[in-house]
Structure formats: C-alpha cells, structure tokens
Amino acid sequence: MTTTTQHRRPAPAHSSPRSFMITISAQFRLQCLGFFRNSRSLFFTVAFPIALALLFGIANEHESMPFQGTSTTVEYASWTALGLSAYVLLMGGFVKVAGDIASQRESGLLKRIRLRGSSDAAVLAGYVLAGLLVSIVCLVLLLAASVLFLKLPAPVHPGGVILVGLGGAILCTTIGLAYSAFIPSAEASQMLLLVPTLILMFLSGVFEPDWLVPDTLRDIGSFFPVQYLADAARSQWLGVDLIHSTINGDSVTVGSAQGLSILVGHGLWVCLAWFVVSLVAAVRFFRWDARVSR
C-alpha cells in the first residue's frame, strides 16, 4: 500500500508583529535590490519612457494640442510626457511584481522565502511595497526629466498629481499580484506582460492622441484603467479636464480641471472595479509552487 505525503508549510515559530515587520523589510530590500541590479528592468522602466518623452517632445516641438473650451495652451510634449506616467506605473507595478513572482516561483525562491517568513501576508507585502517604491521613484524621474528638458510647467494641482500617482501605483501592483497566478512560467512572463502593456498604451491614447484612435479600439481601452490614469495625471498637472472631454472630429472640447472633483466618473469606477477584482483574485488564485508540466 502506497501512502502520499503532502508537504505543508510549517507554522512560524514566532509569528509576532516584530517578525512580521522583519519579513516585510527583508523582502522589500530583496526585491528592490533585484530591480536596481537588473539592467533590462532599469532600461524599460526608467530610461525608455524618458527617451520616448524626449523623442516625442523634440519631434513635436512647439506644437499645441487642438483643445477647445479652455484658454490653457497644452504643448504636445507636456501631454505625451504626462501620459507616459501611466506606462511607468504599469512597468513599475504590474510588470515588475507579476514578473518577479513568476520568475522566483519557478526557481523555487518564492517557496523558500515563504518558509522563512513570518506569514504569507508579510512576504506578499514585501513584493507590493517594492513595486510601489519602484513605481513612484521612476515616475518622479520621468517628471523631473520632463521639467528639465521639455519645459513641463509646474503642476496646477500638486495634491491631485500625488493622489493619482499613489493610487495608480497601488492599483497596478495589486493587478500584478493577481495576474502572477495566471503566468505559467518565467519564460512566458515577458510575452504575457510586455505585450498587453504595449497594446494598452496604444488603446489608451498614451502614445498618440485619443481622437486618432478608432472608436471601437477607444471603447475597448475604456474598460481598462490605463486611459483614466493617463488623463487623470494630465488633468491634475495641466489644469485641463481631459477626463470628461468630448471628441469632435479633429478637435477636443475640454473644461477647466476643478481640483479633485473631476476625478469622479466612469474611469474612477473602472479603477475601483479592477482593484476589487484583483484583490479577490490574488487571495483566491495566488500560487506559491510552480506548475508541474506533464
């Protein structure tokens, strides 16, 4: 008679608040160090968006956006640089967190970290906090470079910009945590992460103006939070309400951004829905072990 033994995680010897914080701190340092030592991650998350902002800005120097209904002149360079903030949040949160978990799960490192940790929540919190830090640092670098080289004006609503940045970083890291459960292997992670990210950039009007995107594709993009994050960052920084804009052929009618009140709308509910669903999916489907190939 054959018996099967299930390998379960032993209960931590000292599951105290102190050990919980030690695990988070150790995991946080490990993930941050891994990111800053990875030249490929640094390039696509830090250098690439800055290079894109500079290229788009130089190619469209002194060109203004065709906005009606406002006296504010918005340069194309500023519009593009602020839109790329959504790309940075996706790369620093979604791509980094999901990619790190998928890679470390397949190598067995994730399981070893879990066995040493005080709790599962502490281990996962380390991933999330590292994703938040990377997202915010890379976002600040993008905006600083845009101010220095593209003459991006001072933000009209600084508090709103900070809120959008923090909220977007939290949302993207949560989605990455949930999405990691559906990545079958480390080898497949690049295609399953970078391809959707780039597609969403085009659907959401990050690389090109929304009104140049076909209606059907723009409607598809409205089901994802990227479009809202990009327009929210632009609106709070430039003081122009792009969230509730109306497209009229080759021009766009916008209003003045009145602080945080313009953030309420369809895009906000889309972001909240993605956050709740991702949180539930992360709790329900998260995997510590790699899938066994048959």
Side-chain angles (χ1 to χ4, degrees), residues 67 79 160 164 210 227-236 239-247 252-269 271:
F67 293 154
W79 184 89
V164 171
D210 294 353
Q227 185 182 95
Y228 173 75
L229 291 176
D231 285 342
R234 291 165 177 152
S235 298
Q236 292 300 304
V240 176
D241 185 5
L242 295 172
I243 296 175
H244 304 100
S245 61
T246 304
I247 298 175
V252 180
T253 301
V254 299
S256 298
Q258 302 298 323
L260 300 178
S261 61
I262 67 159
L263 297 178
V264 179
H266 170 77
L268 179 61
W269 307 127
C271 289

Side-chain angles (χ1 to χ4, degrees), residues 148 206 283:
L148 288 174
V206 171
V283 173

Side-chain angles (χ1 to χ4, degrees), residues 8-140:
R8 298 183 180 275
R9 179 193 176 194
H14 298 92
S15 185
S16 63
R18 183 173 180 276
S19 62
F20 183 85
M21 295 306 298
I22 289 174
T23 300
I24 291 180
S25 177
Q27 180 71 344
F28 174 75
R29 288 197 302 270
L30 174 66
Q31 300 310 320
C32 287
L33 252 123
F35 172 80
F36 290 109
R37 288 177 177 174
N38 189 323
S39 57
R40 183 172 56 188
S41 296
L42 284 172
F43 173 78
F44 280 107
T45 312
V46 181
F48 186 61
I50 292 176
L52 281 180
L54 294 177
L55 287 172
F56 278 112
I58 294 171
N60 299 277
E61 191 175 6
H62 305 308
E63 182 176 340
S64 300
M65 306 302 288
F67 293 154
Q68 299 178 354
T70 179
S71 59
T72 303
T73 300
V74 177
E75 298 287 339
Y76 186 88
S78 300
W79 184 89
T80 304
L82 292 169
L84 283 168
S85 61
Y87 167 85
V88 170
L89 293 176
L90 273 179
M91 290 298 297
F94 170 67
V95 174
K96 175 190 165 16
V97 172
D100 285 353
I101 291 174
S103 175
Q104 293 170 12
R105 179 172 56 215
E106 184 164 305
S107 68
L109 177 60
L110 180 61
K111 190 174 182 179
R112 293 196 298 272
I113 292 172
R114 185 194 188 198
L115 291 173
R116 293 198 305 265
S118 63
S119 71
D120 294 353
V123 174
L124 297 181
Y127 280 102
V128 171
L129 290 176
L132 291 177
L133 177 68
V134 168
S135 299
I136 298 303
V137 169
C138 293
L139 180 58
V140 169

